[in-house]
Amino acid sequence: MTTINSDILKKYFNFLLSIFNFKLKEIKSYDYALYTKFLSSSVGIYFIYEFRDSIPQIQFTKLVSDELEQRPGLYTIKECYKEENFKLQSFYLDEIIQFKKGKEYNSYFKDVKTIEDAIKISTELIDQYAKDFVIGDKKSYDKMNVWFRNYVMLSSTTAKG
């Protein structure tokens, strides 16, 4: 286990604990990746950073229990969306930015040189685009679900045609 990357993550993500009352539920640090779960009373944030990708994935989930799992893939979500009443309550930061800004998430990371750079950029993007998801704002999750349903269903029809 390497601790230097864990320390960097704790430094930049401390705002979740100090401002938003999250608890650091789990942190797994390896030479090749960093996996961290933060939980509040209503939201789970799953930070997934496999260093070869150079871009962290950050998942925001409205919790129904105190368990936080990685969200299923698009194929599974597409199947779930066939059910009219299905509401997805878990979104990645890149999807939130695409929804709010229409900008590619990757573009924010083009000048990243270190793991610390990527983690710092991640926190800035959360601050700028995802605070409503951090606090568990129901309207934000509902709007995102509507947009994401259309996005997923539209991308599945255009891929076939």
Side-chain angles (χ1 to χ4, degrees):
M1 288 280 225
T2 59
T3 58
I4 191 161
N5 295 326
S6 300
D7 292 343
I8 292 169
L9 182 88
K10 287 176 191 172
K11 173 180 147 188
Y12 286 101
F13 275 78
N14 186 53
F15 73 97
L16 291 176
L17 292 84
S18 62
I19 297 172
F20 296 104
N21 284 332
F22 277 77
K23 304 237 179 305
L24 180 57
K25 171 95 173 169
E26 177 181 288
I27 190 161
K28 294 179 181 173
S29 182
Y30 306 99
D31 291 337
Y32 58 89
L34 190 57
Y35 304 97
T36 310
K37 293 180 182 180
F38 297 94
L39 296 180
S40 74
S41 58
S42 61
V43 174
I45 298 175
Y46 196 2
F47 180 89
I48 304 156
Y49 188 17
E50 294 172 350
F51 305 141
R52 70 176 186 274
D53 294 337
S54 75
I55 299 173
Q57 293 181 314
I58 304 169
Q59 171 187 312
F60 300 86
T61 303
K62 283 280 273 183
L63 295 175
V64 286
S65 71
D66 65 351
E67 284 303 306
L68 176 63
E69 298 300 321
Q70 192 165 2
R71 188 182 83 190
L74 279 181
Y75 181 80
T76 303
I77 291 171
K78 203 179 304 177
E79 289 302 308
C80 292
Y81 271 142
K82 288 179 181 175
E83 176 65 40
E84 191 78 21
N85 296 326
F86 175 75
K87 275 188 172 180
L88 187 63
Q89 295 291 285
S90 184
F91 303 100
Y92 284 99
L93 183 57
D94 63 313
E95 297 160 347
I96 294 168
I97 291 172
Q98 185 68 41
F99 167 64
K100 289 187 172 184
K101 185 82 172 149
K103 190 168 177 182
E104 284 297 316
Y105 183 60
N106 301 3
S107 67
Y108 292 97
F109 294 88
K110 62 181 181 292
D111 296 326
V112 166
K113 303 267 188 286
T114 66
I115 292 166
E116 186 169 2
D117 290 345
I119 291 172
K120 183 176 184 282
I121 290 168
S122 298
T123 59
E124 291 166 357
L125 292 172
I126 290 169
D127 184 52
Q128 196 169 359
Y129 297 108
K131 272 193 196 158
D132 47 344
F133 289 87
V134 169
I135 63 169
D137 181 65
K138 184 180 175 350
K139 284 183 182 172
S140 295
Y141 278 87
D142 290 347
K143 284 180 190 173
M144 186 73 195
N145 174 62
V146 169
W147 176 82
F148 199 65
R149 176 187 292 268
N150 291 333
Y151 178 80
V152 167
M153 300 317 262
L154 193 65
S155 66
S156 67
T157 57
T158 54
K160 291 175 187 167

